[in-house]
Amino acid sequence: MDKPYRKNVGMVVFNSKGEVLVGERLNFKGSWQFPQGGIDEGEEPKAAAERELFEEVGIRTAEIVHEYPTWIEYDFPETLKLSSNLKKYKGQTQKWYLMYWDGRAEDCDLEVHEREFEKVRFIPFQDCLSTVVPFKRDVYEKLLIEFEPRIKTYLASR
């Protein structure tokens, strides 16, 4: 029987300069990614996004600007060392949210929950394609196409 996909949310947080927040994973030094996390049983994706954003980077005040219209799937590579709770999944199916937060990376609290990031920083959206692990690059390309124009529109309207 085929393994299922794990339901997950991802958050692209941008600031007033149009830069996006990425974190360097503790277990993938040199790889920077957007905050993301699992959806609990019975939890709505939007609520999961707000909870995970707080747990991973300590942000409570981000405004959801846009929701990616579909779920995006990716497979875990064979070579990936998965934690025991992820071994039962083929990969993840993700609902992504674009969120505005005009704080500073230094204001993020990475110790709220189980620490996942070594550090966080804001970078130009385009740069995330070269900083993310290769198996997530296709997902990030879709996010860039969908979200970047919305960031520009949102900032222009402020």
Side-chain angles (χ1 to χ4, degrees), residues 78-140:
E78 298 283 319
T79 56
L80 191 62
K81 288 184 175 41
L82 294 171
S83 60
S84 55
N85 64 326
L86 292 181
K87 283 191 168 88
K88 59 183 177 250
Y89 298 106
K90 176 180 183 175
Q92 304 206 93
T93 181
Q94 299 181 301
K95 181 51 99 165
W96 282 91
Y97 293 91
L98 179 63
M99 303 170 100
Y100 177 74
W101 180 71
D102 204 25
R104 302 171 316 158
E106 308 83 75
D107 298 333
C108 290
D109 181 354
L110 308 181
E111 300 284 352
V112 171
H113 196 57
E114 289 169 38
R115 189 170 184 141
E116 294 190 34
F117 294 125
E118 179 70 34
K119 53 186 172 272
V120 293
R121 64 181 177 173
F122 279 100
I123 63 172
F125 206 150
Q126 289 281 346
D127 292 2
C128 73
L129 298 179
S130 60
T131 65
V132 71
V133 289
F135 65 90
K136 290 184 185 175
R137 191 165 295 129
D138 288 351
V139 172
Y140 279 42

Side-chain angles (χ1 to χ4, degrees), residues 5-156:
Y5 283 96
R6 176 179 180 243
K7 282 200 164 176
N8 187 285
V9 288
M11 294 72 67
V12 177
V13 177
F14 69 100
N15 64 15
S16 61
K17 295 182 193 144
E19 299 167 326
V20 293
L21 185 72
V22 291
E24 184 181 28
R25 292 290 305 248
L26 288 174
N27 56 343
F28 289 104
K29 295 280 194 252
S31 288
W32 295 76
Q33 70 169 50
F34 298 127
Q36 64 174 59
I39 300 174
D40 292 339
E41 192 67 42
E43 187 176 34
E44 287 299 317
K46 195 175 280 189
E50 291 169 339
R51 176 184 53 76
E52 281 290 341
L53 189 64
F54 177 67
E55 288 179 2
E56 292 202 355
V57 295
I59 297 174
R60 277 209 195 274
T61 55
E63 172 193 349
I64 295 177
V65 172
H66 183 66
E67 179 179 323
Y68 195 87
T70 59
W71 291 80
I72 305 175
E73 292 176 352
Y74 72 88
D75 293 349
F76 294 134
E78 298 283 319
T79 56
L80 191 62
K81 288 184 175 41
L82 294 171
S83 60
S84 55
N85 64 326
L86 292 181
K87 283 191 168 88
K88 59 183 177 250
Y89 298 106
K90 176 180 183 175
Q92 304 206 93
T93 181
Q94 299 181 301
K95 181 51 99 165
W96 282 91
Y97 293 91
L98 179 63
M99 303 170 100
Y100 177 74
W101 180 71
D102 204 25
R104 302 171 316 158
E106 308 83 75
D107 298 333
C108 290
D109 181 354
L110 308 181
E111 300 284 352
V112 171
H113 196 57
E114 289 169 38
R115 189 170 184 141
E116 294 190 34
F117 294 125
E118 179 70 34
K119 53 186 172 272
V120 293
R121 64 181 177 173
F122 279 100
I123 63 172
F125 206 150
Q126 289 281 346
D127 292 2
C128 73
L129 298 179
S130 60
T131 65
V132 71
V133 289
F135 65 90
K136 290 184 185 175
R137 191 165 295 129
D138 288 351
V139 172
Y140 279 42
E141 285 172 357
K142 289 177 177 148
L143 296 173
L144 183 66
I145 291 165
E146 176 75 17
F147 286 169
E148 195 169 47
R150 294 179 191 280
I151 291 172
K152 288 183 169 70
T153 302
Y154 180 88
L155 293 176

